[in-house]
Every structure is written in C-alpha cells, then in structure tokens.
Amino acid sequence: MPRIPVNVLLTAALYAVTALAEIVGCYLPWLVLRQGRSPLLLLPAAVSLALFAWLLTLHPSAAGRTYAAYGGMYIAIALLWLRVVDGVALTRWDVVGALIALAGMAVIAFQPSA
C-alpha cells in the first residue's frame, strides 16, 4: 500500500480543523437565534471564528488558493457534522459529493509547484 507523505496528512488535517472552527463558530449563533439558547454561546462562537481566521493564515498557499481548496474540505466536514451532531443519515449522494469535493481540494492544494 502506498504511503501518504506526512505533509499531505498535516495539510489535510489543518484544512479539517479550520473547517471545524468555522462550523462551530457559525453553529453556536444558529443555536441562539433558532433554538433560543443562551446568548452566552456567542462568546465561544466569536473565539471559534477568530481561531478559524487565524488557522487560515497557517496554510502555505496564497489566500485565494487556500480558500478554494478549503471549500472542498469544508463540504466534507459539514456533512460529517450533519451526521454526528444533527443525527441525519448521509445519502450516497452526500458521500459522492464529499468525495468529489475532496478530490477538487486535493487537486488545488497539492498541485506541483512551478
């Protein structure tokens, strides 16, 4: 079985943590506004969104390329959130869509340097 280079794994993990920080930062205000939860949840939401912004700066690519590649990982993490947090079963279309998005992320993030 081929070995995946460590830098690929670290980059993918950084994209995943970045996506999770954004999702948490948006989900907590959603709980406040849609489910009447405590406005105190807006404090960790703000921290999570600040963490998200900082994590984006750790990616080695230019900002636009980072955002483009990040989108693919965001889709996959959002669908995992849907399954784990919201308890909604994923369809085969969700899974195929996530795989396509991750393939796009990989093409953009791991392109050969010129």
Side-chain angles (χ1 to χ4, degrees):
M1 181 166 195
R3 294 180 58 145
I4 299 172
V6 172
N7 66 323
V8 170
L9 293 175
L10 291 174
T11 299
L14 181 58
Y15 277 118
V17 171
T18 303
L20 189 59
E22 182 181 12
I23 290 169
V24 169
C26 293
Y27 184 72
L28 295 176
W30 183 88
L31 289 175
V32 172
L33 296 170
R34 296 289 301 263
Q35 294 188 356
R37 302 286 283 278
S38 170
L40 291 175
L41 288 176
L42 298 176
L43 294 173
V47 170
S48 188
L49 288 174
L51 176 65
F52 159 68
W54 176 73
L55 288 168
L56 281 174
T57 69
L58 300 180
H59 293 271
S61 298
R65 185 168 291 129
T66 294
Y67 302 149
Y70 163 75
M73 182 62 77
Y74 180 88
I75 291 167
I77 297 299
L79 287 169
L80 284 173
W81 185 276
L82 176 68
R83 179 67 192 113
V84 174
V85 176
D86 293 333
V88 176
L90 300 180
T91 67
R92 73 180 118 193
W93 302 106
D94 293 327
V95 174
V96 170
L99 291 173
I100 291 169
L102 288 172
M105 182 218 79
V107 168
I108 294 166
F110 305 120
Q111 63 184 279
S113 57

